[in-house]
Amino acid sequence: MTGTAARRSNNSFQWPEGGVTRVPYRLYTDPEIYALEHEKIFRGPVWNFLCLDIDIPIAGDFKTTFVGEIPVVVTRDQNGDVHAMVNRCAHKGALVCLQERGNREHLTCVYHSWTYDLDGQLNGVAFRNGVRGKGGMPEDFDTKKHRLEPLRVEVYCGLVFGTFSDQTVPVPAFLGTDMERHVRRNLGRPLKLLGYHSQIMKHNWKLYAENVRDSYHATLLHTFYTTFKVNRLDMDGGIALSEDGLHGISYARRAKFEESAEYADSKVHAAQYDSKLDGPEMLDAWPEFEDGITHSIQALFPSLAIQLTLNSLAVRHFVPRGIDKTELFWMYLGYEDDDEEQTRMRINQSNLTGAGGLVSLEDGCINEFVERGTRGSTDDAVEFLEMGGRDVGPSEGSRATETSIRGFWQGYREIMGLA
Ligand SMILES: [Fe+2]
């Protein structure tokens, strides 16, 4: 970040010529942009992923999460209804729920024992009437005026979404027809949690939003994909986008694979030799869907990705933990009616991704290379995004394109008012 960028107001921000094919590095480092993202995006008219429905299966369960950097707690009440509130005591602002998950009848802040119902209503205040008739809250103190700040909640295909805005359209409309259909394809059955973990990455959150939309890098950066023919650009596949460009899917069909000359011409080194796995059963897989798609990464604005590679189903939630730090939460899933053998295959294949995954290990550091590489850049330095053209739109039959990334920036500009 340059001192100039930090001091300038957003009013002075000018998107450079070239529209979404040019993305200023300043967007990753400017604290005013970061603050504006919290106002316009995370508190704006979008659905933020909060947790899985199966994270809080029974009454009293809670799960803490983040919307942007805002701490949020999601609960299930005695009626089975799901609630989400800012995890910040209405008294002095302390975190109310300190654990990642648990089960409580009430939520109590440890600082002064302010206690809230599972829907965030203030239920009781210690020493409200003072001690021995002295002290205490003023007579007009009204518990109804001091609740945890609520979010609107929608549960869709096992995903719990929250929004701060009353302008946000219902989840299916927010996703659009094609995106909604693909979420239903992957998550529209009772789910089973196989495991979860998280990793910290030292870069701005939008670099990961780009990375999950970047189909072009997969065959080049991820040598495992190419070597073991899990996902290559010469497989049948393409990109689908929501109309507004915000959400996108990169998909491939492994069965329809003909090695193309470009791999040799481009000297993609992983394609130049034969290699064998010591434990080939790690890639044991079965064809799961009639559409023949064996690899799909679906990115949902602002900070969610749903992955189904071979049979490895996972939800990735990436949240900013500062302007130059991102926490990536991985949730590995199966379906409730999977048999033992299917569960074994899904768990084996989960070695492909995650913090130490044979494929996504590289994603954990490549965005940091960008963060480091762009340090000290001038305010007018930009990314160049013309692979596959300059437009935003679906790309059938080719994933040698950055259209999905341009789509992200198109939607981002619109929501941020930087167009
Ligand atoms: Fe990647």
Side-chain angles (χ1 to χ4, degrees):
M1 178 189 66
T2 65
T4 319
R7 282 194 300 273
R8 282 194 336 205
S9 81
N10 289 311
N11 295 334
S12 71
F13 185 91
Q14 285 284 315
W15 203 283
E17 295 279 312
V20 290
T21 66
R22 302 291 188 279
V23 176
Y25 294 132
R26 184 184 157 193
L27 293 171
Y28 299 118
T29 56
D30 188 330
E32 290 183 15
I33 292 287
Y34 187 61
L36 195 66
E37 286 169 354
H38 277 76
E39 179 191 330
K40 301 280 191 184
I41 296 175
F42 298 117
R43 281 189 173 271
V46 304
W47 285 105
N48 299 281
F49 172 77
L50 301 179
C51 67
L52 300 167
D53 196 31
I54 53 174
D55 279 325
I56 46 167
I58 58 173
D61 282 351
F62 72 86
K63 169 83 175 60
T64 52
T65 183
F66 301 90
V67 170
E69 281 206 77
I70 305 161
V72 166
V73 58
V74 189
T75 62
R76 188 178 300 276
D77 71 14
Q78 302 302 333
N79 301 320
D81 294 331
V82 175
H83 304 275
M85 295 78 68
V86 175
N87 185 15
R88 175 186 299 146
C89 187
H91 177 213
K92 300 266 291 200
L95 289 173
V96 176
C97 294
L98 302 173
Q99 294 158 309
E100 197 184 330
R101 60 185 78 223
N103 186 281
R104 299 277 187 279
E105 264 182 56
H106 301 283
L107 310 177
T108 302
C109 177
V110 294
Y111 200 175
H112 301 90
S113 287
W114 282 38
T115 297
Y116 301 88
D117 292 331
L118 292 168
D119 63 358
Q121 294 289 346
L122 181 60
N123 170 289
V125 170
F127 308 129
R128 179 178 175 175
N129 299 316
V131 176
R132 297 194 187 98
K134 289 187 178 167
M137 288 291 180
E139 271 188 18
D140 62 356
F141 176 72
D142 182 358
T143 53
K144 291 191 190 66
K145 291 182 179 161
H146 303 273
R147 57 155 297 145
L148 300 179
E149 184 186 354
L151 287 83
R152 283 170 60 210
V153 167
E154 267 190 37
V155 182
Y156 176 80
C157 278
L159 307 172
V160 180
F161 288 100
T163 182
F164 284 100
S165 169
D166 55 12
Q167 305 296 309
T168 316
V169 296
V171 171
F174 175 66
L175 298 178
T177 314
D178 288 349
M179 293 299 124
E180 193 217 1
R181 191 185 308 125
H182 197 76
V183 175
R184 270 192 281 120
R185 170 199 189 266
N186 289 350
L187 301 178
R189 294 155 55 188
L191 300 167
K192 182 165 67 176
L193 189 61
L194 300 180
Y196 53 87
H197 69 267
S198 82
Q199 67 187 103
I200 294 283
M201 303 178 297
K202 292 177 186 160
H203 58 76
N204 183 266
W205 70 277
K206 298 187 296 299
L207 285 168
Y208 199 77
E210 274 209 346
N211 184 259
V212 291
R213 288 167 172 82
D214 186 335
S215 48
Y216 159 39
H217 85 281
T219 216
L220 299 165
L221 177 68
H222 301 309
T223 54
F224 190 96
Y225 266 162
T226 312
T227 304
F228 298 106
K229 301 179 177 56
V230 175
N231 171 33
R232 297 169 45 123
L233 292 193
D234 46 7
M235 289 172 180
D236 179 44
I239 304 287
L241 288 183
S242 59
E243 255 178 54
D244 52 19
L246 284 175
H247 322 292
I249 307 165
S250 166
Y251 60 90
R253 295 178 177 88
R254 195 185 189 197
K256 292 192 182 174
F257 166 56
E258 279 173 44
E259 190 145 358
S260 70
E262 286 85 356
Y263 271 77
D265 295 348
S266 308
K267 299 190 170 47
V268 176
H269 74 274
Q272 310 305 311
Y273 53 85
D274 257 344
S275 189
K276 298 268 182 297
L277 285 171
D278 278 348
E281 64 274 13
M282 199 201 81
L283 291 180
D284 284 353
W286 78 98
E288 199 162 358
F289 293 93
E290 279 178 10
D291 57 18
I293 293 172
T294 48
H295 169 78
S296 68
I297 306 279
Q298 179 170 28
L300 300 183
F301 191 90
S303 49
L304 189 72
I306 301 163
Q307 153 217 315
L308 190 40
T309 295
L310 303 180
N311 312 104
S312 176
L313 176 63
V315 170
R316 310 177 192 176
H317 182 210
F318 46 102
V319 297
R321 307 284 269 151
I323 191 167
D324 56 0
K325 203 160 93 173
T326 299
E327 186 160 10
L328 173 58
F329 295 88
W330 297 84
M331 288 145 268
Y332 288 93
L333 300 168
Y335 302 113
E336 223 173 50
D337 58 4
D338 284 348
D339 61 29
E340 241 174 70
E341 179 64 359
Q342 289 170 326
T343 301
R344 183 192 68 81
M345 284 195 258
R346 289 196 207 281
I347 290 173
N348 267 346
Q349 293 168 27
S350 72
N351 285 301
L352 293 170
T353 55
L358 292 160
V359 173
S360 59
L361 181 72
E362 291 104 351
D363 291 320
C365 58
I366 195 65
N367 298 308
E368 196 177 317
F369 293 173
V370 177
E371 186 85 29
R372 288 160 60 190
T374 55
R375 273 180 203 161
S377 57
T378 53
D379 276 359
D380 56 358
V382 293
E383 289 178 47
F384 176 79
L385 297 174
E386 293 193 3
M387 188 53 125
R390 300 186 177 93
D391 301 330
V392 172
S395 169
E396 229 166 278
S398 172
R399 290 178 300 144
T401 174
E402 289 166 323
T403 185
S404 190
I405 304 175
R406 291 190 290 271
F408 171 83
W409 290 113
Q410 176 182 286
Y412 176 90
R413 287 179 66 179
E414 180 75 28
I415 290 178
M416 288 283 283
L418 297 175

